[in-house]
Amino acid sequence: MNDTNNKSQFSTRQRIAALGMPYSTGWRRLREGKRQREALASNEDRKIMWSQLKKKKGYSKVSEQLRKELQEWILDHPSVVPSPITNETLLIADPDNPTHKKRVAKLLLEISIRELHNDLLHEERGLVTVRNEKGDVLISDTALRYLVPEQLRRMTKRHKQMCGCEVCIVANMLQASLLFS
């Protein structure tokens, strides 16, 4: 292997000193590492099978079209609200151009993922295409956790204190009445 193209800006002695080990140990370990890298690159003895195996292409019941419909359905769900804190934004990979990131407002989920999944399967307010021809569910509760939009987060105590919805206000009043009675 020709190392003329891979010249390091630091000498071997400088690298060993930076690692904080004795020079004899450093030389030995760097030599062993170089030998192992060369063996991996050439793979002459064919003992290293994992380096040649192709990665399996994953299988998913969720098509790209269903994934987009699910994203739209989640964004339109009544229990998904934008964060009331103005400077709460996230950098998310742009779907049109994955090399760039765009800043988007954080979305808050007022209910649990299980409740969201139950709403997803509901006949009236759910997503019709979430079931196949046989009536089997294509998106499980666990799969939904991986398919939610990146900007969707659970509400924290900080958000719940700022929430002004009827459910939160009534719950706070009930808790306060129990504390002071």
Side-chain angles (χ1 to χ4, degrees):
M1 189 163 125
N2 190 0
D3 287 335
T4 56
N5 295 339
N6 298 332
K7 281 286 187 187
S8 174
Q9 66 183 18
F10 300 105
S11 69
T12 307
R13 280 186 170 271
Q14 289 173 329
R15 285 187 280 166
I16 293 170
L19 291 171
M21 60 176 68
Y23 286 114
S24 59
T25 306
W27 284 103
R28 186 178 68 250
R29 293 217 173 139
L30 287 175
R31 188 172 52 245
E32 289 171 1
K34 183 179 179 183
R35 185 181 48 78
Q36 286 179 352
R37 284 190 301 276
E38 287 174 352
L40 278 172
S42 65
N43 199 10
E44 294 167 356
D45 51 2
R46 304 279 186 228
K47 289 182 182 176
I48 309 163
M49 294 302 294
W50 58 264
S51 67
Q52 291 188 339
L53 294 176
K54 291 183 181 177
K55 189 173 181 180
K56 287 184 178 181
K57 186 174 181 178
Y59 171 75
S60 177
K61 293 189 245 180
V62 182
S63 66
E64 195 62 36
Q65 179 185 357
L66 178 57
R67 188 177 301 230
K68 287 180 183 176
E69 290 175 9
L70 176 69
Q71 299 274 330
E72 290 174 14
W73 181 84
I74 291 174
L75 294 177
D76 291 338
H77 194 274
S79 295
V80 174
V81 294
S83 174
I85 303 167
T86 56
N87 62 350
E88 262 194 337
T89 58
L90 300 168
L91 281 174
I92 304 292
D94 188 7
D96 301 328
N97 187 0
T99 58
H100 290 349
K101 293 188 176 195
K102 65 179 182 178
R103 189 163 296 278
V104 294
K106 186 186 284 189
L107 296 175
L108 301 174
L109 185 60
E110 294 177 335
I111 57 176
S112 67
I113 293 284
R114 284 187 179 182
E115 287 183 64
L116 187 68
H117 185 257
N118 290 341
D119 286 350
L120 179 70
L121 300 179
H122 198 269
E123 283 96 25
E124 288 105 37
R125 59 182 183 263
L127 190 61
V128 178
T129 56
V130 79
R131 296 180 187 269
N132 64 6
E133 299 83 30
K134 297 178 189 175
D136 297 333
V137 177
L138 296 175
I139 300 174
S140 68
D141 177 17
T142 311
L144 181 62
R145 293 174 193 274
Y146 292 103
L147 295 173
V148 295
E150 289 182 64
Q151 65 265 32
L152 187 67
R153 301 285 193 265
R154 289 178 54 195
M155 288 183 90
T156 61
K157 286 185 179 182
R158 176 183 180 198
H159 297 111
K160 291 176 186 174
Q161 287 175 349
M162 297 179 75
C163 185
C165 70
E166 185 178 344
V167 175
C168 292
I169 291 173
V170 170
N172 286 339
M173 289 180 1
L174 286 172
Q175 287 179 343
S177 67
L178 290 174
L179 286 173
F180 298 115
S181 61

